[in-house]
Amino acid sequence: MIGLTNGSLIALVALGYTMVYGVLRFINFAHGDLIMLSACLALSLVGPMGLVSTGQPPSLGTWIGIYALVIFCGLFCGLLSMVVDRLVYQPLRNAPPLAPLVSAIGVSLIAMNIGLFWIGAPDRSFPQPLPSENLLRFQEIQFTWNDLLVVLVVMPLIALAMALIRLTRFGKALRAVSEDRTAAALIGVDVNKVIRATFFLSGFLGGAASVVTGLSANTISYQMGFQTGFLAITASVLGGLGSLRGAVIGSFAVGLVGALSTAYVGERWANAFVFIVLLIVLVFRPEGLLGQRAREVS
Amino acid sequence: MSDVKNWFREHWEIFAFVALALAPFGVSSLRGALGGQVTILFIYCILALGLNVMVGYTGLLHLGIAAFFGIGAYTMAILTVPLFPFQMGWLAATVLSIAVAASIGFALGTPTLRLRGDTLAVVTLGFGEFVTASLRNLEQVTGGMKGLNPVPPPGAGVSIMNIDLGTAFVVDPRWFYFLTLSALAGVVWAMKRLENSRLGRAWVAVREDATAAASLGISATQTKLSAFAMSAAVAALAGCLYAAMLSTTADPNAYSFNRSIMILCAVILGGLGSVLGTLVGVTILVGFDTVILPWIDTLLQQLLNHSPEGVLSFGGWRLAMVGLVLVMVMRFRPEGLIPSRQLAAELRGGQQ
């Protein structure tokens, strides 16, 4: 169970990586740390919004508060991603492929430093408005309020994002730009607009993920961006960079591997096992599970 | 006149190394704490030159160089500390550690080198995590968070002209200074030779155009694999020196992603594919950390009459400043401060 909830949380972040990779062909290493900033914002807001640890089953007000927080942090992270793109990545559109990647590492260092001053160096505990009791009557399967939160917030968001890309005009444009940027521009797609919207969407999903991560992981720290990013990047590479369905499937795989290694070997080995699975998959499918056999992009 | 200039440009390293070798005799502070810092700087320079083989010459993004640094340091420690039965001499342990790291680089490279650049970068990132997780958790072998110690100094038990080398290394830090300096000189010499060798040119050819290189009979896989193994070996040499100098492997965080990123930043800041650039990049970043930041903070302290804290302290923004430098360098000088001439032409050409 924990594998599924973790997996869908990872998926929310991995979608952001894979979408941006799709349109710009670079791994946005700053994504995880922008999500960390959004988690800092969530931490600063939960108190004033009256979301505190009560131990009681959540009232309707608590749910509304959580949804409001998710949307607000989503907007914050989405706008932040757009601003970063405008200031840092956009001037580098025609630069060699290493340039935006290194800039992204630079942005992530800056974000970490801001987070450090925002919430301080030690881990901060996140209020738990949802109690941790098991909602199911039998004890074999754990299904807590936090799992319900994932079902009620994260899964609809993933479905919504997938539908947006599959069904709307923007989604069509995004897929066209991923396929071939020049050709898309030639048939009248406003490429820059699509890229901006992609950054907003990926940031929005990440911001929403930051709130749910805070609520379910209980602690946040200024260094959480790396762990968040590591699992999500691995998941999107596992599924095939640029493939949305691949990112989701890869995320569930990473979540499952993480949960299994936590259960049988210990949490401290989780990252190592995730890497081993990644290596094994890539040996047999270098393009990832659902990736296309793309040409080397020079 | 221009001949002299050209000769100097080709052989700047001779002057630099002669000056550095003479420095401890003239500058007395090099015998104390500063000497130790400079020695660490030399070790990072070696590490960065190792990374430069992958990222600079061959154009493969490597996000886990610190893992090989760690493999070198820990293999060295396992082969020498009293905890294990090997207790080899320094030289043999160093050679063996380098061989181990190179084989691990080879083993990691073999299945992964047909991956595309971005995917390969993520694999190296994951490998770094894998190695640090192993170093942290295999307590019986690596000592967990405490690390392994004591790593004996080079030449312990060997005496020349009635001087016990091991004791000499412990008593006078200049011995380590000279040891790392000569190792660095050796690596620099090897890199300059490699640049113009068959292998070095093959690396660049594969970076520039793998298809064209293949049509000239250069095997991209073998070339990349040799770059992988070479950078692992050089990084491991740095790791051996590091462990010997600190006489411990220190805790595994010394070999984490952050170290990899800092070294990568130094190489990119200085200039990809350029030996001098790499050395300058490392010196700037390390010097920034150990000299300039404390200096500015002291200056601020004098200005404000009290010690600046939190948001106001300059040193507190260290990460952000490094980040900002990276963003700015990529924006305005993507070839780095002292680029290799070839790469600069290519990058500038691409922009026009």
Side-chain angles (χ1 to χ4, degrees):
Chain A
M1 208 56 220
I2 190 123
L4 280 181
T5 45
N6 276 352
S8 48
L9 253 180
I10 296 168
L12 218 46
V13 182
L15 279 175
Y17 280 107
T18 214
M19 274 193 296
V20 169
Y21 186 87
V23 292
L24 285 178
R25 292 279 179 271
F26 91 99
I27 299 177
N28 180 12
F29 272 101
H31 193 46
D33 294 283
L34 296 185
I35 290 172
M36 178 272 298
L37 282 186
S38 162
C40 296
L41 179 72
L43 180 66
S44 308
L45 286 179
V46 274
M49 285 178 73
L51 295 173
V52 285
S53 315
T54 54
Q56 303 292 317
S59 63
L60 188 65
T62 313
W63 283 109
I64 293 174
I66 290 175
Y67 272 104
L69 197 61
V70 164
I71 291 172
F72 191 76
C73 287
L75 289 176
F76 167 76
C77 195
L79 289 175
L80 191 63
S81 302
M82 269 169 78
V83 170
V84 168
D85 170 56
R86 178 65 196 83
L87 291 178
V88 181
Y89 306 139
Q90 193 175 331
L92 300 173
R93 288 281 193 265
N94 298 316
L98 207 53
L101 206 144
V102 175
S103 300
I105 293 174
V107 172
S108 86
L109 293 179
I110 297 173
M112 266 174 76
N113 214 156
I114 295 173
L116 177 63
F117 280 125
W118 194 337
I119 61 168
D123 287 3
R124 293 281 298 270
S125 69
F126 206 91
Q128 299 287 293
L130 301 175
S132 56
E133 64 187 348
N134 195 351
L135 288 174
L136 299 179
R137 212 168 295 153
F138 35 92
Q139 295 300 314
E140 287 79 21
I141 303 170
Q142 281 279 322
F143 189 83
T144 61
W145 284 102
N146 278 323
D147 294 317
L148 184 66
L149 174 76
V150 169
V151 172
L152 288 182
V153 176
V154 178
M155 299 209 173
L157 269 175
I158 295 175
L160 200 69
M162 300 288 267
L164 203 66
I165 287 161
R166 198 145 291 275
L167 303 175
T168 63
R169 208 181 151 76
F170 156 71
K172 209 181 233 176
L174 184 145
R175 279 177 287 145
V177 174
S178 307
E179 198 86 10
D180 188 332
R181 205 198 301 178
T182 322
L186 280 174
I187 56 168
V189 177
D190 185 344
V191 174
N192 269 325
K193 211 162 123 189
V194 169
I195 294 174
R196 275 200 297 274
T198 307
F199 269 101
F200 179 79
L201 185 57
S202 88
F204 187 90
L205 297 178
S210 77
V211 176
V212 183
T213 307
L215 288 173
S216 61
N218 204 356
T219 53
I220 65 168
S221 94
Y222 80 102
Q223 289 173 317
M224 68 185 272
F226 176 70
Q227 180 64 15
T228 314
F230 174 73
L231 292 179
I233 291 174
T234 312
S236 45
V237 170
L238 194 64
L241 270 170
S243 154
L244 293 169
R245 257 186 307 170
V248 175
I249 292 173
S251 301
F252 282 119
V254 168
L256 200 65
V257 171
L260 287 178
S261 48
T262 303
Y264 292 105
V265 199
E267 193 182 0
R268 50 202 195 146
W269 284 103
N271 276 6
F273 276 101
V274 166
F275 167 71
I276 292 173
V277 170
L278 174 74
L279 199 61
I280 293 172
V281 169
L282 289 180
V283 165
F284 292 105
R285 279 190 74 85
E287 66 282 358
L289 290 172
L290 293 184
Q292 291 165 335
R293 284 187 185 274
R295 292 155 280 134
E296 178 86 12
V297 187
S298 55
Chain B
M1 191 57 206
S2 71
D3 280 353
V4 178
K5 231 182 191 170
N6 269 338
W7 189 86
F8 188 76
R9 192 175 286 162
E10 292 292 315
H11 301 281
W12 51 267
E13 69 273 13
I14 298 174
F15 296 97
F17 282 115
V18 168
L20 282 172
L22 294 176
F25 298 104
V27 187
S28 57
S29 59
L30 276 178
R31 275 168 225 158
L34 181 65
Q37 284 172 356
V38 175
T39 311
I40 294 276
L41 173 71
F42 292 156
I43 292 176
Y44 288 155
C45 282
I46 297 176
L47 183 57
L49 285 172
L51 180 64
N52 188 39
V53 172
M54 274 284 278
V55 188
Y57 299 145
T58 324
L60 301 169
L61 186 60
H62 192 322
L63 297 172
I65 194 70
F68 291 102
F69 188 50
I71 289 171
Y74 272 89
T75 316
M76 174 82 184
I78 288 170
L79 292 174
T80 52
V81 291
L83 183 65
F84 294 101
F86 309 107
Q87 304 206 27
M88 296 168 79
W90 178 79
L91 194 64
T94 303
V95 171
L96 209 59
S97 306
I98 292 173
V100 166
S103 341
I104 292 177
F106 201 79
L108 178 68
T110 310
T112 56
L113 280 176
R114 43 186 204 132
L115 301 177
R116 289 186 300 160
D118 301 305
T119 318
L120 183 67
V122 173
V123 169
T124 55
L125 171 75
F127 180 71
E129 272 302 291
F130 176 74
V131 169
T132 34
S134 310
L135 294 182
R136 273 190 206 120
N137 300 332
L138 290 171
E139 272 119 1
Q140 293 91 341
V141 185
T142 63
M145 293 308 283
K146 290 195 299 288
L148 285 173
N149 60 42
V151 178
V158 180
S159 48
I160 299 168
M161 292 186 292
N162 288 330
I163 305 171
D164 182 52
L165 270 181
T167 327
F169 266 102
V170 176
V171 172
D172 191 345
R174 279 183 296 175
W175 281 84
F176 270 112
Y177 180 93
F178 289 123
L179 178 71
T180 47
L181 181 65
S182 39
L184 178 60
V187 172
V188 167
W189 177 79
M191 289 296 156
K192 300 281 274 190
R193 298 281 300 175
L194 270 172
E195 269 178 19
N196 289 317
S197 72
R198 196 185 166 83
L199 184 59
R201 285 166 193 234
W203 286 337
V204 175
V206 167
R207 178 190 77 203
E208 294 300 301
D209 190 335
T211 319
S215 70
L216 291 170
I218 298 170
S219 155
T221 319
Q222 273 177 23
T223 312
K224 287 180 183 175
L225 210 52
S226 63
F228 223 122
M230 177 67 78
S231 80
V234 176
L237 170 66
C240 291
L241 292 167
Y242 189 71
M245 188 200 156
L246 297 180
S247 89
T248 167
T249 57
D251 75 294
N253 287 335
Y255 312 102
S256 66
F257 179 68
N258 289 346
R259 175 65 36 85
S260 298
I261 284 297
M262 277 304 150
I263 297 296
L264 180 68
C265 292
V267 174
I268 289 164
L269 173 69
L272 281 172
S274 140
V275 173
L276 180 60
T278 301
L279 299 182
V280 169
V282 176
T283 311
I284 289 176
L285 270 195
V286 175
F288 180 74
D289 258 0
T290 52
V291 182
I292 300 176
L293 273 187
W295 180 71
I296 293 180
D297 265 344
T298 332
L299 209 70
L300 273 177
Q301 198 174 346
Q302 283 164 354
L303 276 176
L304 298 169
N305 277 327
H306 62 86
S307 178
E309 276 168 25
V311 183
L312 287 176
S313 81
F314 197 71
W317 290 99
R318 175 182 159 265
L319 277 180
M321 279 182 285
V322 174
L324 198 63
V325 166
L326 278 187
V327 172
M328 287 302 172
V329 166
M330 282 300 117
R331 175 82 178 80
F332 298 107
R333 208 176 155 83
E335 71 274 24
L337 296 176
I338 304 174
S340 77
R341 246 168 284 170
Q342 197 179 4
L343 205 67
E346 178 197 334
L347 286 171
R348 286 282 169 210
Q351 278 185 343
Q352 278 154 16

